[in-house]
Amino acid sequence: MARHITARLRHSDSGAMAALYALALPALVAVAGIGFDYAHLAAMDTELRNAADQAALAAATQLDRQSGAMTRAESAAKGDLVRNETLFANDGEGRDIDDLTVWFYADKAGAEACSTATSNTLTNAQAAFVCVTVEQRKARYALTPIVGALEGTLGAKAAAGVGSALCRTPPVMMCNPDEPANNSNPNVDFNASDRVGQGFLVTQGGGSSWAPGNYGYLDTGVGNGAEGVRKTLGWLTTPGTCISQSGNTTIETEPGNMANVPQALNTRFDIYDSQGCEAGGVCPPSINTRKDLVHPDFSKNNACKLHSSQGWGEPNTKYLPTTNSALPTSVTPDAMGYPRDICHSTSSNECSGARIFGDGFWDRDAYFRSHYRRSTGGYWSASEWRSNLVNNGFTGAIDGEGVVRPRWPTRYQVYLWEIANRGRTIDGVQILGNRTLADGRTDYGTPVCSNRQSTPYGTGLEPSATTVDRRRLSVAVVNCQAHKVKGNTSGVPVRRWLDVFLVQPSLDRARTGKDQIYVEIIGETLSGSAGETAGTVIRRDVPYLLK
């Protein structure tokens, strides 16, 4: 029996596979380990790449070219706006991926190369692209060390910028006022923050005579020539498409006879000449139409046009200062609207330098004497208008009476304060109320013509979170000399977008021409002010990855 069992065991092959498995086991373990740890490696690589992408995108959102942009961008990448973690890290350095290097570049090529840090040489205004490097993390594998086939470290980098579009853009451009004569440098900048509140006299350019401060119009692809420009300037809903700002923003200037184009801007002041509002759209004014024009009555054919006897015209006592100083209290215009800076109001234009910019000193005292007259007699004095503003919601700065050349409040600030207090009676004066002059004509503060059009345009628009400010525009600033702008020029890069306040209607006056536009600088058009309250521009900024 024992011999039989021994013989069977000696001749049996049923256990042969066990030996094969024993011999193959190290190789099987090695293959499984490589597969497991390679999957671990791939997952960790994906996490690090995603971290670099998200950090770069977060940083790019802060590159608005304003003060502190690079500092905010670096903080955003390192955790202020995004938090990145790795679930596959096992090197003892924790799960947070916050060991990042953030580099800034002025152009896309530099960011894509991502080779040299330039943050120490760039200014906030120049930083337009970012590259983020995630420092290397070591992968400590679970099984691979058994066979010693793989080990190593991983890192990642990503570059990003901001793709912007300006939609419903008014077709207005101006030559950079800071561009020097015979300039060939396309990167000459314009800093609007230093000029907030200053008056700005812009004159239409043309042909080959473009100079700093000249303005012109853009081709937005709507209609032909002047007709298309009037539509985009006058209509409430601008028919043009968005202007992309990915990389370098470029525009195309619109040539041709634009003599009647300012009539479209005048609709924002409740003035409707024959070529003011093109058919097919509506052209409502702002709810605050304060201007240096008065009106006789509405029984005439030209009642809502610029017409000295039948429609809008200048008052008998106009604002015509003889010196570069405030008017004496013995001289008060019948209606002066928001005036130009005094140096721009004199017959000799006494503003310094190129005479394009004023100094922000407009005759505030005369303005309140002119429009803020009590029904019982008298007017708001210099001290009274200051206290009345402060006591009724005004939060801006107000220069004291002892300041020789006051700069605050700005015209735009007063304009907004009047809208906020519209209809209220403060210190004997109804804010933006109507006042009949000695000659029977009326000084109006709110619209009276917009509802009298064949297609009524309403009673005026009050700026809000959902309603445009009809007296605020965004203007493209370009280096006209460097890019040789003349007539129809395409591919012109935009250096800045500037927000301005429309101070006066455009018309022939004793010291102005109808082709001149006078504005007050509000500041640069920013992504932070995107939306309807930024004027007739909606700016959309979307960060995008380069690589």
Side-chain angles (χ1 to χ4, degrees), residues 204 215 217 230 233 258-267 506 514-517:
Q204 188 168 351
Y215 78 89
Y217 301 104
R230 284 194 297 269
L233 279 177
M258 301 291 171
N260 293 322
V261 165
Q263 291 185 15
L265 280 177
N266 285 349
T267 63
S506 295
K514 64 181 180 181
D515 62 341
Q516 293 180 339
I517 297 177

Side-chain angles (χ1 to χ4, degrees), residues 13 28 59 67 145 167 173 246 304 319 354 387 395 403 521:
D13 58 0
L28 292 174
S67 176
C167 307
M173 55 79 65
S246 297
C304 289
Y319 176 63
S387 61
T395 58
V403 178
I521 295 177

Side-chain angles (χ1 to χ4, degrees), residues 165-359:
L166 287 122
C167 307
R168 296 174 56 181
T169 309
V172 182
M173 55 79 65
M174 73 173 181
C175 298
N176 185 352
D178 290 342
E179 186 180 21
N182 302 316
N183 173 56
S184 60
N185 177 12
N187 297 318
V188 174
D189 211 354
F190 176 72
N191 187 354
S193 61
D194 292 339
R195 301 190 183 278
V196 173
Q198 289 181 295
F200 184 20
L201 176 64
V202 286
T203 304
Q204 188 168 351
S208 59
S209 62
W210 291 90
N214 283 167
Y215 78 89
Y217 301 104
L218 308 182
D219 182 0
T220 57
V222 180
N224 297 315
E227 176 189 342
V229 174
R230 284 194 297 269
K231 288 178 180 179
T232 49
L233 279 177
W235 286 0
L236 176 61
T237 302
T238 307
T241 57
C242 298
I243 297 178
S244 173
Q245 292 200 126
S246 297
N248 292 324
T249 311
T250 61
I251 56 175
E252 182 174 346
T253 59
E254 180 72 87
N257 184 357
M258 301 291 171
N260 293 322
V261 165
Q263 291 185 15
L265 280 177
N266 285 349
T267 63
R268 299 166 183 248
F269 292 87
D270 202 36
I271 301 170
Y272 296 93
D273 283 288
S274 57
Q275 291 185 301
C277 191
E278 291 287 339
V282 295
C283 305
S286 167
I287 192 64
N288 183 345
T289 54
R290 182 72 78 195
K291 51 188 175 290
D292 60 338
L293 303 177
V294 294
H295 199 283
D297 59 56
F298 295 98
S299 63
K300 308 295 183 182
N301 293 332
N302 298 305
C304 289
K305 300 178 181 179
L306 289 171
H307 196 285
S308 58
S309 62
Q310 296 184 5
W312 295 108
E314 294 182 278
N316 290 331
T317 305
K318 307 174 184 62
Y319 176 63
L320 295 171
T322 57
T323 63
N324 189 13
S325 58
L327 295 176
T329 55
S330 59
V331 178
T332 301
D334 290 334
M336 60 185 289
Y338 302 110
R340 300 182 175 205
D341 285 0
I342 298 176
C343 63
H344 277 145
S345 302
T346 59
S347 58
S348 58
N349 188 351
E350 298 179 34
C351 297
S352 60
R355 300 182 177 179
I356 297 172
F357 293 106
D359 55 10

Side-chain angles (χ1 to χ4, degrees), residues 400-430:
E401 293 182 67
V403 178
V404 177
R405 306 293 288 185
R407 189 171 175 177
W408 309 102
T410 67
R411 281 155 287 222
Y412 187 61
Q413 288 175 322
V414 174
Y415 160 84
L416 294 178
W417 180 87
E418 290 177 326
I419 290 176
N421 289 280
R422 184 179 77 260
R424 291 183 60 196
T425 298
I426 299 175
D427 193 8
V429 176
Q430 185 182 36

Side-chain angles (χ1 to χ4, degrees), residues 397-477:
I398 295 181
D399 292 329
E401 293 182 67
V403 178
V404 177
R405 306 293 288 185
R407 189 171 175 177
W408 309 102
T410 67
R411 281 155 287 222
Y412 187 61
Q413 288 175 322
V414 174
Y415 160 84
L416 294 178
W417 180 87
E418 290 177 326
I419 290 176
N421 289 280
R422 184 179 77 260
R424 291 183 60 196
T425 298
I426 299 175
D427 193 8
V429 176
Q430 185 182 36
I431 309 303
L432 290 182
N434 306 330
R435 183 173 60 86
T436 302
L437 308 182
D439 63 4
R441 292 186 292 173
T442 303
D443 170 25
Y444 291 97
T446 53
V448 291
C449 279
S450 56
N451 256 342
R452 288 180 165 85
Q453 304 308 300
S454 57
T455 301
Y457 303 140
T459 56
L461 298 183
E462 179 178 355
S464 71
T466 57
T467 306
V468 298
D469 188 339
R470 291 285 283 171
R471 288 182 67 170
R472 182 168 177 162
L473 291 177
S474 289
V475 181
V477 180

